Amino acid sequence: MHENKNEQNIGTKTIKKIGKATYEVVVHFNENATETMQDKLKRIILREMEREKHQKVDKND
């Protein structure tokens, strides 16, 4: 398995072990972002709801 390592660990790092797998996530934010975190989360949630709606419609065909 290929492992990508971010040598510039700038941000908040979280390590979570689930079963035998260990996940390491580094979160960082763009200082020049124009979208708020609330706007970003709302956009992601709405996009996911649309995707799920389309999947349900496709199953009913």
Side-chain angles (χ1 to χ4, degrees):
M1 176 198 293
H2 179 70
E3 182 176 334
N4 289 332
K5 282 210 167 217
N6 179 1
E7 298 300 330
Q8 298 174 342
N9 286 333
I10 300 170
T12 303
K13 179 168 75 171
T14 301
I15 299 174
K16 178 74 174 180
K17 186 169 183 165
I18 301 174
K20 294 182 180 180
T22 301
Y23 299 91
E24 180 178 327
V25 178
V26 178
V27 178
H28 57 91
F29 299 95
N30 181 349
E31 302 270 337
N32 300 316
T34 57
E35 187 177 39
T36 67
M37 192 60 165
Q38 182 177 357
D39 292 338
K40 185 179 293 277
L41 289 171
K42 183 179 176 181
R43 178 175 48 81
I44 292 169
I45 291 167
L46 290 173
R47 183 174 54 201
E48 181 66 17
M49 289 173 62
E50 280 294 317
R51 188 182 67 79
E52 288 180 9
K53 184 172 91 174
H54 289 300
Q55 283 181 342
K56 287 179 183 178
V57 168
D58 290 345
K59 285 182 182 179
N60 291 333
D61 287 345

